[in-house]
Amino acid sequence: MFFESILLNAIVSIVLILALIIDYVTKFFSYWYIRHIPYKSSIPFFGSDYHRVFGIRNTTQEVNKLYEKHPKEKFVGYVKSRIPDLVVRDPDAIKKMLSTDFANFHSRGLGLDKSQDVCLRNNLFYAEGEKWTLLRKGLESIMDSFECDFGHSLHGCLSGTNGDANVQQLLSKVLDAIFKDMLLDSSSDATVITNIRSTVQRRPLVDRLKSYLKNIFPSLYILFGLVTVPEEPSNKTKKILEQSKLMEKIKTGSVFQLGIKEKEKRTVSEVEFAYSMLASFVTEGYVPCHNLLTSLLYELAKSPEAQQKVRLSEEYLDASIKEALRLHPPYSVITRQCVNTYNYDSSLLIDKRITINIPVDALHKDKIYYPKPEVFNPDRFLDNNNSNAHSFAYLPFGTGPRRCIGEQLSLQIVRRITSSILKQFEIEPCARTPQSLPVTDYNFGRVIDRDIWVNFKPIRT
């Protein structure tokens, strides 16, 4: 219907357009209400995610808040922008979705394997479908062939340490040498590893904005052609990669590389592929190991009794590593996208493309499973010391078929480094040691947000 007045027609048109927009952005606001799932209320254009979008809370804080607000519920709903998301609180439901019914939740739903960033495209963390299967098979063959004899590297990096020291700097020297020996060659220049690591670890404003887009609006990250690690390796890097152990392993396991080329229908040189693999080992292996070691040494420095027990017992060392992973998990939230309409125990229908969120950090700090969860207490991981803990309330490496492929290798590295440090040094807090470990979200994971200093006192033999 049209009116004689142009102004009236314009007003009616604007009202209709606004009504259509509001209807579009609020279409799913009642999604969880209809399903009788407790949920956080939404506002147009932001959904329930306004605290995170405006920077009031990060992802960990937002998910933990929802977890704590509904202690008796299995599920809590919210809306990200306009699309429903689900927080899964119940460990039995987590087991069923991520393990038993993995076929319905095998996708992360990020689409970042389509990014222009070659390092993301060939990163197992972001891969989907057949590409994920090929990459995982190839990486398993590479990792099974690693030789972890790095005693000489450890001794050289730790020699001369005495007094107050920056833990991250010391560990960077150690891990640079270890990853160089594993992936490149003992005679190679470690700056290849160092450069990728420093690029990933530094967090200027531009990189934080990239991380924000990658995490909350991955489609925009792809649309703008953003990259995290420089895509084109330098001539020096290419030469080192051509002669590296990693390249040798890639060539002998070229079946999965060729499969990926065919799947993507694009040509990828062996050097480019090796560079993307090297970046994956740094971002998904080196950096989490670095953060775990930093948090473990920090906690042991504050707990001399636990530190002494670690020196005397490998079992207590393993328990201490598990406790550090509980308190400071590398990933606070695991996300999966439902790929088929899914009926959970005939009580909840989840539509295709709905994302589920597993609140790892919140589960690790739940008093139901871990008494005094804020306390560093490795004893809880000794046999029969924590009978209340559900096996799916402890997920530092994820679970199911997408469980972290590098779990055993990373634990082996962390054991060797920690054991070597504690055999040579007593560590204790110093004037610059923070009262609590400052951890924040970055690139889907958790990072330590400032330099950590402790005192290294050589043990006289």
Side-chain angles (χ1 to χ4, degrees):
M1 179 181 290
F2 294 95
F3 302 97
E4 293 184 4
S5 168
I6 295 176
L7 178 61
L8 186 58
N9 283 326
I11 292 172
V12 171
S13 298
I14 291 171
V15 169
L16 287 173
I17 290 170
L18 287 175
L20 288 172
I21 291 173
I22 294 297
D23 179 68
Y24 175 78
V25 299
T26 63
K27 181 178 180 180
F28 299 107
F29 279 16
S30 61
Y31 187 90
W32 299 119
Y33 174 79
I34 294 170
R35 286 159 176 78
H36 305 290
I37 298 295
Y39 62 96
K40 180 181 177 182
S41 59
S42 302
I43 61 175
F45 303 103
F46 300 103
S48 311
D49 217 21
Y50 42 89
H51 284 106
R52 189 167 64 143
V53 172
F54 294 137
I56 299 170
R57 298 179 194 140
N58 58 33
T59 298
T60 302
Q61 293 166 336
E62 181 68 13
V63 172
N64 287 3
K65 191 80 173 176
L66 292 170
Y67 183 96
E68 293 164 5
K69 190 174 180 180
H70 302 277
K72 297 182 180 180
E73 302 292 340
K74 290 185 177 182
F75 308 101
V76 182
Y78 70 109
V79 176
K80 187 182 292 182
S81 183
R82 63 180 292 272
I83 304 300
D85 267 31
L86 185 68
V87 175
V88 184
R89 296 184 78 265
D90 180 54
D92 289 322
I94 293 169
K95 178 181 179 180
K96 190 170 178 60
M97 291 178 177
L98 296 195
S99 187
T100 309
D101 296 334
F102 171 76
N104 293 290
F105 296 96
H106 63 76
S107 172
R108 293 191 187 277
L110 298 170
L112 288 168
D113 57 333
K114 301 178 179 66
S115 169
Q116 295 182 38
D117 187 338
V118 68
C119 295
L120 282 188
R121 289 202 307 269
N122 293 320
N123 188 313
L124 184 66
F125 185 88
Y126 304 105
E128 305 287 0
E130 183 184 357
K131 182 174 181 178
W132 172 77
T133 303
L134 292 166
L135 266 176
R136 189 171 182 101
K137 181 180 177 182
L139 283 168
E140 282 175 344
S141 67
I142 289 177
M143 296 175 76
D144 287 344
S145 65
F146 279 148
E147 297 177 3
C148 297
D149 182 17
F150 40 77
H152 179 72
S153 299
L154 275 171
H155 179 75
C157 295
L158 295 175
S159 63
T161 303
N162 193 351
D164 294 357
N166 183 313
V167 176
Q168 287 103 318
Q169 287 183 3
L170 178 63
L171 291 174
S172 291
K173 285 172 56 181
V174 172
L175 289 170
D176 283 356
I178 289 172
F179 275 74
K180 183 198 74 170
D181 288 350
M182 280 199 309
L183 299 170
L184 303 178
D185 185 86
S186 57
S187 61
S188 296
D189 188 346
T191 55
V192 178
I193 301 286
T194 306
N195 290 341
I196 296 177
R197 180 258 300 166
S198 60
T199 298
V200 172
Q201 287 182 321
R202 73 169 183 258
R203 297 190 295 123
L205 180 59
V206 171
D207 285 351
R208 293 185 190 212
L209 290 174
K210 287 182 185 179
S211 175
Y212 175 82
L213 285 178
K214 190 195 301 180
N215 194 358
I216 299 182
F217 301 112
S219 57
L220 293 181
Y221 185 90
I222 296 170
L223 178 66
F224 295 150
L226 301 176
V227 299
T228 305
V229 179
E231 185 166 353
E232 183 65 28
S234 66
N235 290 331
K236 180 181 178 182
T237 298
K238 289 179 180 178
K239 186 175 179 179
I240 291 173
L241 286 171
E242 286 169 354
Q243 301 170 354
S244 68
K245 294 178 183 177
L246 180 60
M247 178 64 81
E248 182 182 340
K249 297 178 190 301
I250 286 173
K251 287 180 176 179
T252 57
S254 58
V255 173
F256 81 95
Q257 183 186 353
L258 292 171
I260 290 170
K261 286 182 182 180
E262 292 171 3
K263 183 71 176 175
E264 292 185 344
K265 297 181 180 180
R266 57 161 69 92
T267 301
V268 180
S269 73
E270 287 181 332
V271 171
E272 288 175 326
F273 189 79
Y275 183 66
S276 68
M277 287 294 97
L278 182 64
S280 293
F281 274 106
V282 173
T283 56
E284 311 307 327
Y286 181 120
V287 173
C289 279
H290 188 272
N291 287 324
L292 171 55
L293 281 161
T294 302
S295 61
L296 177 59
L297 293 180
Y298 168 82
E299 296 293 351
L300 290 174
K302 294 178 62 181
S303 179
E305 183 179 342
Q307 186 182 149
Q308 185 57 28
K309 289 181 180 179
V310 168
R311 289 192 183 91
L312 300 173
S313 166
E314 289 188 6
E315 182 185 12
Y316 206 83
L317 170 59
D318 288 343
S320 296
I321 293 171
K322 288 179 181 178
E323 178 69 343
L325 284 166
R326 182 192 68 81
L327 273 173
H328 313 291
Y331 299 95
S332 63
V333 180
I334 297 172
T335 60
R336 295 286 188 272
Q337 190 177 76
C338 186
V339 297
N340 303 298
T341 302
Y342 178 73
N343 193 339
Y344 177 78
D345 287 353
S346 301
S347 61
L348 172 63
L349 188 69
I350 302 176
D351 289 317
K352 184 178 180 180
R353 299 180 190 253
I354 298 298
T355 297
I356 63 169
N357 299 267
I358 312 303
V360 175
D361 188 69
L363 284 163
H364 285 192
K365 295 180 174 65
D366 192 323
K367 294 178 181 179
I368 293 176
Y369 311 115
Y370 303 101
K372 297 183 179 179
E374 71 285 353
V375 175
F376 177 76
N377 177 22
D379 291 62
R380 72 174 89 241
F381 284 101
L382 299 178
D383 290 343
N384 302 319
N385 274 15
N386 195 27
S387 57
N388 291 333
H390 192 292
S391 59
F392 280 77
Y394 181 74
L395 302 167
F397 295 100
T399 188
R402 285 202 84 136
R403 188 181 179 95
C404 177
I405 191 175
E407 177 180 355
Q408 295 306 315
L409 178 61
S410 62
L411 289 176
Q412 187 177 356
I413 290 171
V414 170
R415 284 190 198 103
R416 288 289 303 277
I417 293 174
T418 306
S419 180
S420 183
I421 288 175
L422 294 184
K423 283 179 181 177
Q424 298 180 55
F425 304 96
E426 290 182 3
I427 55 176
E428 57 189 16
C430 64
R432 287 186 277 186
T433 305
Q435 291 297 311
S436 60
L437 199 66
V439 184
T440 190
D441 291 1
Y442 187 65
N443 268 344
F444 298 102
R446 300 280 278 164
V447 297
I448 296 168
D449 206 27
R450 58 169 282 190
D451 291 341
I452 304 299
W453 289 73
V454 300
N455 182 269
F456 288 78
K457 181 181 178 183
I459 295 174
R460 305 298 179 189
T461 56

